[in-house]
Amino acid sequence: MTKRVAIGIDLGGTNCRGALVSQNGQVRAWRRIETDPAAGLTVFLQRLTGFCRELRSTAAELGLNIAGVGCGAAGIVDLSGQVRSAPNLHLLDDFDLQGHLQRGLNLPALVINDANAIAWGEARYGGGQGFDSFLTLTLGTGVGGGLILKRRLWQGACGGAGEIGHLAVEAEGRPCGCGSHGCLEQYASGQGIQQNFQELGGAERGETVDSIGIASLARQGDPVARTAFDLAGRYLGQGIAGVVNLLNLEGVLFAGGLSGCLDLLQPALEQELARRAFAVNRQQLQLAAARLGEQAGILGAASLLFDRLGRR
Ligand code: ADP
Ligand code: MG
Ligand code: ZN
């Protein structure tokens, strides 16, 4: 392993993951903590910087030099690394996370959208290596998206591209953290599936069953749990059909905590895709689970940081 590493961070609505990543994508000292936004911004930022400092101490113990910190964060992140809006982590709305990390750690920092970091990680080291153009869908606290077009990350005019989770799939549907309503993520994220289940009468009044519990019920054959996943799959198929008709991609990779539930989502998803996508576009498209699991975002963010440092 080379002596030069980046701190790679994947900051989601539920989980914060981090590791030391070398320039050729080797991962050391991987760890995870809960994101826990409930205590407010100051405590949240202290925890995050503390998490980075722990990784820095580990690097020192291992005799590794830190080049900087690359962080994928859940939210719309502009090209200067400011979080402009974070539907699942509102305390970061309009917060300059890149500047904060840079000053707090006295290291070069790069912050981009979490799903974009995951897509880039998969493109470079994982399941996206065989595709020129693909979408990575992250199914976690929310639904995120990262677009790789012709092997380049497409961030859009100001960093806000790829947000498939905020495609409207129900004209007057559930209110969304982004301010709109009927967005895909309200039906197909961990929280969305939980709400599907509740609305279908799957939970007792006042009881909450999370998507992990609903998945295990579905696998035991519980019909309401299965329908909660079918509903998510159908909306995902609807969203993906629109995207592949627009972009004629080669692949869609599924990442995030719920990607292990692809078996539960896929039948309804495929059915909807067949109904809505152009046959020629559908035939070209491969659907697959992402390959790097919980490390994808860390690898992608670190790689983008190294790229930026290299260009200076
Ligand atoms: P984030 O990146 O937004 O923090 P993750 O990708 O870590 O989120 O996924 C967390 C979400 O995924 C939670 O809503 C959790 O309930 C759900 N989840 C995680 N693992 C599973 C699983 N094996 N089956 C079903 N849902 C899961
Ligand atoms: Mg995530
Ligand atoms: Zn939305």
Side-chain angles (χ1 to χ4, degrees):
M1 181 161 191
T2 55
K3 291 268 182 191
R4 196 161 174 257
V5 293
I7 296 174
I9 302 285
D10 177 358
L11 179 59
T14 305
N15 291 300
C16 175
R17 303 167 171 93
L20 302 171
V21 185
S22 73
Q23 206 149 2
N24 59 1
Q26 283 176 286
V27 174
R28 304 270 292 266
W30 186 91
R31 65 192 73 176
R32 174 166 65 92
I33 55 171
E34 276 180 25
T35 303
D36 191 20
L41 184 63
T42 310
V43 174
F44 175 87
L45 292 171
Q46 278 166 357
R47 259 165 69 85
L48 178 61
T49 345
F51 187 64
C52 293
R53 289 208 179 100
E54 277 172 32
L55 286 164
R56 183 153 69 181
S57 317
T58 308
E61 285 161 22
L62 296 169
L64 303 169
N65 301 321
I66 305 262
V69 49
C71 172
I76 305 292
V77 182
D78 71 18
L79 299 175
S80 73
Q82 285 205 41
V83 180
R84 303 299 287 267
S85 123
N88 294 304
L89 213 48
H90 276 301
L91 79 180
L92 289 180
D93 284 345
D94 286 315
F95 185 74
D96 178 12
L97 186 58
Q98 183 171 302
H100 179 85
L101 289 173
Q102 209 154 299
R103 287 187 299 273
L105 298 164
N106 196 24
L107 284 172
L110 170 82
V111 177
I112 65 158
N113 170 265
D114 58 345
N116 286 358
I118 289 170
W120 185 248
E122 290 290 336
R124 194 122 189 239
Y125 303 110
Q129 290 174 94
F131 299 130
D132 267 352
S133 299
F134 70 98
L135 171 77
T136 300
L137 251 162
T138 60
L139 306 173
T141 314
V143 173
L147 268 175
I148 304 293
L149 300 178
K150 291 281 180 202
R151 297 189 177 270
R152 296 186 59 166
L153 177 63
W154 179 256
Q155 291 187 270
C158 55
E163 290 296 333
I164 183 172
H166 303 278
L167 285 190
V169 292
E170 272 298 338
E172 300 302 331
R174 296 175 190 161
C176 182
C178 74
S180 181
H181 46 262
C183 294
L184 177 58
E185 85 168 21
Q186 293 308 318
Y187 303 90
S189 61
Q191 291 181 359
I193 288 169
Q194 195 173 310
Q195 204 171 338
N196 297 345
F197 186 69
Q198 238 151 26
E199 285 186 10
L200 290 161
E204 302 286 330
R205 190 174 288 277
E207 180 197 26
T208 53
V209 186
D210 69 7
S211 58
I212 300 176
I214 300 167
S216 78
L217 285 172
R219 293 211 171 86
Q220 291 158 30
D222 181 285
V224 181
R226 294 199 75 104
T227 308
F229 272 93
D230 280 343
L231 208 56
R234 222 157 67 207
Y235 285 118
L236 281 168
Q238 187 178 329
I240 292 169
V243 170
V244 301
N245 282 351
L246 181 70
L247 296 172
N248 190 190
L249 302 168
E250 296 158 336
V252 174
L253 297 181
F254 294 85
L258 276 150
S259 58
C261 298
L262 195 52
D263 60 318
L264 295 170
L265 298 165
Q266 204 159 350
L269 190 161
E270 294 271 11
Q271 203 174 22
E272 201 63 20
L273 202 50
R275 285 182 56 210
R276 292 180 187 267
F278 287 114
V280 60
N281 289 8
R282 172 65 191 99
Q283 280 153 16
Q284 181 63 37
L285 183 75
Q286 292 180 45
L287 304 177
R291 249 193 250 149
L292 300 174
E294 297 191 82
Q295 298 191 344
I298 292 162
L299 280 162
S303 160
L304 289 163
L305 173 85
F306 280 124
D307 289 352
R308 179 173 294 181
L309 293 177
R311 276 200 304 275
R312 278 197 195 140

